[in-house]
Amino acid sequence: MPTVSRERLAEVFVEVADTLVDDFDLIEFLRNVTVRTTELVDVAAVGLLLADAHGQLQFMAASDERTRLLELFQLQHHDGPCLDAYLSGHPVVNADLPLATERWPTFAPHATRLGFRSVHAIPLRLRNKVIGALNRFGTHAGGLDADELTVVQALADVATIGLLQEQAVHRAEMLAEQLQGALNSRVIIEQAKGALARTHGVDVDSAFVALRSYARQRNLKLLDVARAVLVDPGSIPDLTRPRKTPPRP
C-alpha cells in the first residue's frame, strides 16, 4: 500500500463527506469516491455501479474512460465481479483475472486484454440493503492487503451512507427517484464529454477535465454546464469555442 499519512486520509474523507450537504451533487460525489480510491490505495482504476428503480445495475462513475468502458461491457454481457458482489451482497476478494475465465467467461478475458490482472468488488450496502457495487482493478497480480482493504471498504461505506441519507429523511421512493435522475444526468454528461472531445480534438478524459474545471471555477453544477454544451454552446464560448491552431510558417 502506498504510504499515506493520517492527515491525508482525514482530508480525503472530509472532502467526500463535504458533499453530503445542501445542493448535494450526486455525480460529483460518486466521481470523487472513485478518484480518491485510486489515490489512496495501490490501484489502477475504480468503477462504481448503482441499481436503478428496477434493481438493475447501471454505470455511474469511473476513475477514467477505460474503466467506464469496461464497466459498460460488464453490464452489457451480464458477466463480471461487480454483478456478483451486488447480487450476493458479499465482496469478491482479490480475483486473479487471467485465471477467472471459468467464473467470468466473457468479462475476464476482455479485462485481461485491457491490461488488468486483478479485481476486487465491494457491495455498497447498509445492513440488508444493497444499492450497488464498487470495483477496484489492478494491473498486476496480487490483491489488496489488510490496510488497503480497510480504506476501500471505508470509502464504499461513505458512498453508501451518502446515497442513503435522503432515505433517512424521505421515503424510499425518493431515493429511487434521485438515482433515476442521476442516471439521466449521466447520459447528458457523457454526451457533453463527447461533444467537447470532438470540438477540441482531445480524448474524452481530457474533455471531462475541461468540463469539470469550467463548472468548478464558476461555481456551477456539472450537469448545468453539460446541458449548456449540448443545448446552447454559444452561452459558454470559453468552453465550447474551438481552439485556433497557429498558422503554419
Side-chain angles (χ1 to χ4, degrees):
M1 177 179 179
T3 302
V4 180
S5 68
R6 292 183 178 181
E7 291 77 11
R8 178 54 182 155
L9 282 172
E11 287 174 2
V12 169
F13 278 95
V14 168
E15 176 189 343
V16 172
D18 275 348
T19 62
L20 312 182
V21 294
D22 292 339
D23 299 324
F24 176 58
D25 189 328
L26 182 57
I27 299 297
E28 180 74 2
F29 170 66
L30 297 176
R31 169 77 178 180
N32 278 347
V33 170
T34 62
V35 172
R36 297 308 176 223
T37 301
T38 66
E39 293 175 356
L40 292 181
V41 299
D42 185 14
V43 59
V46 174
L48 194 150
L49 307 178
L50 290 181
D52 61 18
H54 306 289
Q56 299 297 313
L57 282 181
Q58 304 288 343
F59 168 78
M60 286 305 302
S63 56
D64 59 27
E65 180 67 12
R66 179 176 59 161
T67 309
R68 182 184 78 88
L69 296 176
L70 181 57
E71 295 286 33
L72 290 174
F73 180 91
Q74 179 176 194
L75 293 174
Q76 290 166 356
H77 292 83
H78 306 287
D79 178 43
C82 222
L83 290 163
D84 287 1
Y86 169 68
L87 293 173
S88 70
H90 298 290
V92 174
V93 181
N94 298 332
D96 189 331
L97 286 169
L99 303 178
T101 54
E102 184 174 343
R103 185 174 187 180
W104 304 306
T106 304
F107 175 84
H110 183 72
T112 301
R113 285 193 295 270
L114 291 179
F116 295 116
R117 293 294 179 270
S118 60
V119 64
H120 188 107
I122 297 176
L124 300 179
R125 63 178 301 166
L126 182 63
R127 292 184 285 276
N128 294 325
K129 187 174 185 64
V130 182
I131 62 172
L134 182 73
N135 264 355
R136 166 266 189 207
F137 298 100
T139 54
H140 54 78
L144 298 172
D145 62 30
D147 290 338
E148 290 175 319
L149 181 56
T150 298
V151 171
V152 175
Q153 184 65 64
L155 284 167
D157 291 343
V158 168
T160 305
I161 292 169
L163 293 167
L164 291 175
Q165 66 164 345
E166 289 298 316
Q167 190 175 9
V169 179
H170 304 291
R171 295 190 299 177
E173 54 264 29
M174 293 297 294
L175 176 62
E177 182 179 338
Q178 184 189 43
L179 293 181
Q180 188 59 54
L183 293 172
N184 295 338
S185 299
R186 168 54 60 186
V187 172
I188 294 172
I189 291 170
E190 293 299 333
Q191 291 174 340
K193 284 165 53 179
L196 289 176
R198 289 192 299 272
T199 297
H200 299 299
V202 298
D203 59 46
V204 289
D205 282 334
S206 299
F208 180 80
V209 170
L211 182 71
R212 188 166 177 252
S213 298
Y214 185 93
R216 283 188 165 186
Q217 291 167 5
R218 293 160 178 79
N219 198 28
L220 299 172
K221 285 192 173 183
L222 185 64
L223 177 61
D224 293 338
V225 177
R227 188 177 286 114
V229 169
L230 299 174
V231 177
D232 188 15
S235 67
I236 49 173
D238 290 347
L239 179 62
T240 59
R241 182 188 297 120
R243 299 185 182 90
K244 294 182 178 179
T245 55
R248 294 183 178 180

